């Protein structure tokens, strides 16, 4: 027979309050870290895409507005600093590390032009009978 002075304590791990608290704090921490990572990477990608779109819109608009001009000079400092600018007679594209965006041109350069945006400060567009795009 057991003596009354001996008390047997059995802790039910699944029902103990400290284990639930530790579990919920751990889950909340993981969810918070995951949400922070997702938001910082998502908004960074959105910024890159908007920058590429703005650069393409500005360059294509300036070229398309001056298709009928006899002489034209345009100098533009693109905000996109990595990737390649590729232009031909029908379209102009910026190809980044994970995204490629293009815009239509009504009268682009006859020869295909590729410019590494990392090595330049300005894009110069000249027209003297036909359009030319240079990186400087």
């Amino acid at each position: 027979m057991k003596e009354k002075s001996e008390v047997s304590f059995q802790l039910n791990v699944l029902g103990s309050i400290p284990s639930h608290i530790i579990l919920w704090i751990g889950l909340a921490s993981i969810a918070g870290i995951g949400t922070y990572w997702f938001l910082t990477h998502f908004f960074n990608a959105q910024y890159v895409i908007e920058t590429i779109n703005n650069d393409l819109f500005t360059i294509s608009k300036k070229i398309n507005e001056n298709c009928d001009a006899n002489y034209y000079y345009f100098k533009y400092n693109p905000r996109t600093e990595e990737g390649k600018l590729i232009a031909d007679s029908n379209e102009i594209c910026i190809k980044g590390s994970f995204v490629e965006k293009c815009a239509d041109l009504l009268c682009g350069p006859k020869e295909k032009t590729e410019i590494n945006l990392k090595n330049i400060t300005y894009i110069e567009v000249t027209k003297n009978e036909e359009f030319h795009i240079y990186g400087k």
Side-chain angles (χ1 to χ4, degrees):
M1 252 179 143
K2 289 187 181 181
E3 294 182 20
K4 290 188 178 184
S5 63
E6 263 186 55
V7 180
S8 171
F9 289 105
Q10 290 183 346
L11 291 177
N12 184 354
V13 175
L14 295 176
S16 69
I17 292 177
S19 64
H20 283 292
I21 291 173
I22 291 170
L23 178 69
W24 284 108
I25 289 174
L27 289 175
S29 299
I30 291 170
I33 292 169
T35 302
Y36 174 77
W37 179 87
F38 175 76
L39 291 176
T40 56
H41 285 78
F42 174 74
F43 287 116
N44 186 31
Q46 182 180 2
Y47 173 76
V48 169
I49 291 170
E50 286 180 11
T51 303
I52 290 173
N53 280 339
N54 289 338
D55 285 339
L56 283 175
F57 175 75
T58 302
I59 296 168
S60 65
K61 182 180 175 207
K62 295 279 187 177
I63 291 173
N64 289 337
E65 285 177 348
N66 292 288
C67 282
D68 294 334
N70 292 326
Y71 177 79
Y72 180 69
Y73 176 78
F74 164 61
K75 187 175 181 181
Y76 179 69
N77 183 4
R79 296 190 72 192
T80 306
E81 295 181 349
E82 290 191 16
K84 287 188 177 186
L85 180 113
I86 303 166
D88 60 20
S89 60
N90 297 324
E91 66 182 0
I92 186 165
C93 301
I94 294 181
K95 186 176 187 176
S97 58
F98 64 92
V99 66
E100 180 177 357
K101 291 287 198 170
C102 296
D104 292 333
L105 291 179
L106 300 176
C107 55
K110 290 185 179 182
E111 297 177 9
K112 185 175 182 179
T113 305
E114 279 192 32
I115 300 170
N116 189 349
L117 295 174
K118 194 173 194 173
N119 299 333
I120 65 158
T121 304
Y122 292 101
I123 294 171
E124 292 184 353
V125 179
T126 60
K127 182 180 181 188
N128 193 3
E129 294 183 17
E130 57 185 57
F131 276 102
H132 294 282
I133 299 175
Y134 305 101
K136 298 248 178 173

